[in-house]
Amino acid sequence: MLFSELPNEIIEQILLEIDPLTLARCRVVSKRLFELIDASVLLQISIEAGVDGLLVVGPHNRHLGHPSSSAQHLLDEIFCIREATVKFMPRSAWGIPYVAGNFHWEISDGIICFTSGGGDGERPKTLHFSELLAPTDKNYNPFELDPTGRRYTHIIRDTGVGMADIVFSASSDLVVLLERRTAPDTGMNADRLHFRAISTGGPHPEATLPHVENTGHPLPPYSGLETWLIQLYGDMVAFLLVRYSNFIDRRGGVTVWNWKSGEVVM
């Protein structure tokens, strides 16, 4: 039997087995394939999902892994996600308790980490971790503990450190706490980066030192504009401190450590 003699149902099943780019090219092979592909919701899902870099698994048997959903509903979902991405309009949003000047947050590995506490000149000492999942009902709040155990939530109630910034890696069970401080003997900046285990809140077992001190760019006491940032990449952690004078002159620099060995890399 020639390919042209096959019924549309069989051709559709064949086309569902090829990659999205090849499937899109098949639309220009013949009028019959053009009309068949454009009329098939499942084939449109394969193409449109491929355009957005989404993986389609078993669409012709399992409706892309969602047996309770129709194929048309899934196609509509793809368009909805695309529109939200292009317009930068989130499909869901939650409020976060905020303390002016004392709130820090970071998202990594599908988990949000944020601080609480502080106030009246004190920096926060409590850390919250919560897995970000698609909401299943309107009352879902990722910033509250989940007693059902359906998602990961964790709190370190007292880090013992007034945190000026945070960065973490859930896969390494590591959270880095920035403590802004000055050396009591010289009055120069002596900021510390503390390496803690997320699971225990104590010093990270893979870190040779519980903390490192930024002495590579000593600066005298200052009351003007300054900014700082910490970044984590693999075994490396970087701390940037910059102070501005008249928004033009800048002082400071970047220090990079290996957080496991405590050695200065740069």
Side-chain angles (χ1 to χ4, degrees):
M1 179 179 291
L2 298 176
F3 180 81
S4 59
E5 297 175 347
L6 293 173
N8 286 348
E9 293 77 9
I10 299 298
I11 295 178
E12 181 184 39
Q13 296 300 313
I14 295 174
L15 293 177
L16 283 169
E17 299 297 331
I18 64 179
D19 64 272
L21 180 59
T22 303
L23 179 58
R25 289 171 175 167
C26 288
R27 295 175 72 251
V28 299
V29 171
S30 68
K31 180 180 179 181
R32 182 187 180 190
L33 285 181
F34 174 84
E35 293 177 346
L36 190 154
I37 292 172
D38 279 14
S40 169
V41 176
L42 290 177
L43 292 176
Q44 287 300 306
I45 288 174
S46 181
I47 293 175
E48 298 298 341
V51 168
D52 291 343
L54 302 176
L55 180 62
V56 180
V57 180
H60 52 294
N61 292 325
R62 296 182 294 278
H63 295 293
L64 290 97
H66 300 270
S68 62
S69 302
S70 68
Q72 184 60 53
H73 174 73
L74 291 173
L75 182 60
D76 293 340
E77 282 288 292
I78 292 173
F79 291 138
C80 184
I81 293 172
R82 181 183 299 169
E83 182 181 16
T85 302
V86 171
K87 295 183 178 180
F88 201 67
M89 297 173 59
R91 304 177 66 196
S92 301
W94 306 275
I96 310 175
Y98 177 77
V99 180
N102 288 285
F103 180 82
H104 311 286
W105 62 277
E106 184 84 12
I107 294 178
S108 177
D109 301 328
I111 295 174
I112 184 170
C113 171
F114 61 97
T115 63
S116 68
D120 296 327
E122 296 291 327
R123 295 193 184 276
K125 295 184 179 181
T126 300
L127 276 176
H128 304 255
F129 297 86
S130 182
E131 183 179 7
L132 294 173
L133 298 177
T136 55
D137 59 68
K138 64 180 181 180
N139 296 318
Y140 170 84
N141 188 340
F143 309 106
E144 295 178 355
L145 287 176
D146 180 16
T148 66
R150 290 176 297 178
R151 60 184 175 85
Y152 168 80
T153 54
H154 180 59
I155 294 180
I156 303 176
R157 298 193 179 278
D158 187 0
T159 62
V161 174
M163 296 172 285
D165 203 357
I166 55 173
V167 67
F168 75 99
S169 169
S171 58
S172 299
D173 191 34
L174 171 70
V175 59
V176 182
L177 317 177
L178 171 61
E179 178 188 13
R180 298 301 315 275
R181 59 189 296 275
T182 56
D185 52 343
T186 64
M188 306 293 277
N189 68 295
D191 305 303
R192 286 179 178 175
L193 297 181
H194 299 261
F195 308 126
R196 302 293 181 84
I198 297 174
S199 55
T200 66
H204 198 287
E206 293 186 45
T208 303
L209 303 174
H211 64 262
V212 293
E213 194 166 292
N214 182 39
T215 58
H217 303 280
L219 297 172
Y222 184 69
S223 60
L225 177 65
E226 66 179 8
T227 184
W228 58 83
L229 177 70
I230 50 176
Q231 290 290 320
L232 182 63
Y233 183 78
D235 295 346
M236 304 299 163
V237 60
F239 174 51
L240 164 70
L241 174 64
V242 179
R243 289 178 175 173
Y244 297 88
S245 176
N246 299 323
F247 297 94
I248 299 175
D249 299 328
R250 293 177 294 179
R251 298 184 63 188
V254 179
T255 305
V256 181
W257 295 267
N258 181 307
W259 67 266
K260 291 184 177 180
S261 67
E263 297 178 349
V264 175
V265 178
M266 184 180 75

